[in-house]
Amino acid sequence: MDKQQLISEIQELKKQRDAVILAHNYVDGDLQDLADYTGDSLELAFRARDAHKGVIVCCGVSFMGETAKILSPESRVLLPVPSAGCPMADMVTAEEVRAMRKAHPGAVFICYVNSSAEVKSEVDICCTSANAAKIVASVEPGREIVFLPDGNLGRNVEHDLKRPIHSFSGYCPVHNQTTVAMIERARALHPGAKLFVHPECPREVVAAADEALSTGGMLRYVAASPEKQFIVGTEKGILHRLVKENPGKEFFPMDDCLVCADMKKLTLESVRDALRDLSGEVLLSKEIMDKARKPIAEMLERSKA
Ligand code: SF4
């Protein structure tokens, strides 16, 4: 079946199922074009919360589907590829969080949304890369903070806010492989281009970049910038929107290795199959959803302007 036929079939199924399609900025460009909303984790969380109570197809990795389900429990949330996970999210378990609680009694536990529902159910506040600094800054001065699972994001926020944070040892395999040498090579190839990276990159990489921004932040930054050339230090899927929404501006991946294999598992075929068969449904116990909703709701509340 050719691509156009497949897209028509999805549109038809979408109507029949009364479905909304959400897509993360890292998935394939065809899926971004097809989606009702494309965005970063925070934007997708808001969309899921405000979605109508029908079918939500979540084109992203498993924790995003879980977040959508927690925020819209009456909806049927489908993950077209349930095996698409986030290696960083798998680096911490609920049991480890409980053990850390014992080691840091009295600390506020802040958890990046890139984590399982079970882990979220054990923490106080969630955050995304778009609001991590704001969430940490909202904790009363002097209170101990434990940040998980992303050690790089925790250290970058610690540096920016000059506030001590106990950061867990997890990392994103895509962003953790970035290096200062990579930045130097990209700058030599595209002298004068603005270079931004994701705050999941190691501290020295963030320090060497012009800016560290969430994917939503990158899109806003480019739209407002008078600059014409940009080197993009995050997963390459974001280039699709950057190019599409910014005619006349040029974008270069910081390195071709910046590809998330899990995000790339999502295909048009998988979305068609999920809508046709209502497969890949996210199922969570009420107890876990109720517990995990609290730190997410706390994040959404503290993210308000
Ligand atoms: S890009 Fe990194 S953090 Fe995002 S889903 Fe892939 S492995 Fe996880």
Side-chain angles (χ1 to χ4, degrees), residues 24 26 41 60-64 84-91 112 114 150 171-176 198 200 234-235 258-264:
H24 190 268
Y26 291 160
S41 302
V61 295
S62 52
F63 76 82
M64 296 174 181
C86 169
M88 182 209 288
D90 295 339
M91 288 177 190
Y112 196 24
N114 297 36
D150 188 4
Y171 59 88
C172 162
V174 179
H175 293 106
N176 197 51
H198 195 277
E200 288 170 14
T234 191
E235 213 280 345
L258 298 180
V259 176
C260 175
D262 282 272
M263 289 284 187
K264 297 302 181 264

Side-chain angles (χ1 to χ4, degrees), residues 41-213:
S41 302
L42 181 62
E43 290 159 345
L44 296 187
F46 277 119
R47 292 295 184 184
R49 184 196 59 184
D50 301 338
H52 74 140
K53 309 301 174 213
V55 170
I56 299 175
V57 181
C58 187
C59 298
V61 295
S62 52
F63 76 82
M64 296 174 181
E66 288 186 348
T67 305
K69 181 67 185 172
I70 291 163
L71 292 174
S72 189
E74 296 90 354
S75 300
R76 205 161 183 176
V77 178
L78 307 180
L79 278 166
V81 184
S83 67
C86 169
M88 182 209 288
D90 295 339
M91 288 177 190
V92 66
T93 64
E95 210 180 326
E96 284 173 301
V97 180
R98 287 192 287 273
M100 283 188 274
R101 284 269 194 204
K102 283 192 186 139
H104 299 275
V108 175
F109 275 64
I110 300 179
C111 182
Y112 196 24
V113 284
N114 297 36
S115 52
S116 68
E118 240 192 312
V119 163
K120 288 185 180 79
S121 74
E122 297 288 342
V123 302
D124 301 306
I125 319 172
C126 284
C127 74
T128 69
S129 54
N131 64 19
K134 191 171 184 174
I135 297 295
V136 170
S138 73
V139 175
E140 59 268 37
R143 187 101 185 260
E144 190 184 11
I145 294 173
V146 175
F147 190 96
L148 61 134
D150 188 4
N152 286 331
L153 181 59
R155 285 184 287 277
N156 285 320
V157 172
E158 178 173 23
H159 174 270
D160 290 348
L161 297 183
K162 313 263 176 294
R163 180 162 184 178
I165 294 175
H166 299 287
S167 293
F168 192 68
S169 55
Y171 59 88
C172 162
V174 179
H175 293 106
N176 197 51
Q177 63 185 327
T178 57
T179 60
V180 174
M182 219 178 249
I183 289 186
E184 287 166 356
R185 275 199 302 275
R187 281 199 162 126
L189 284 171
H190 310 289
K194 274 272 169 199
L195 186 147
F196 43 74
V197 297
H198 195 277
E200 288 170 14
C201 294
R203 176 88 277 284
E204 68 276 12
V205 171
V206 168
D210 293 318
E211 300 284 343
L213 300 161

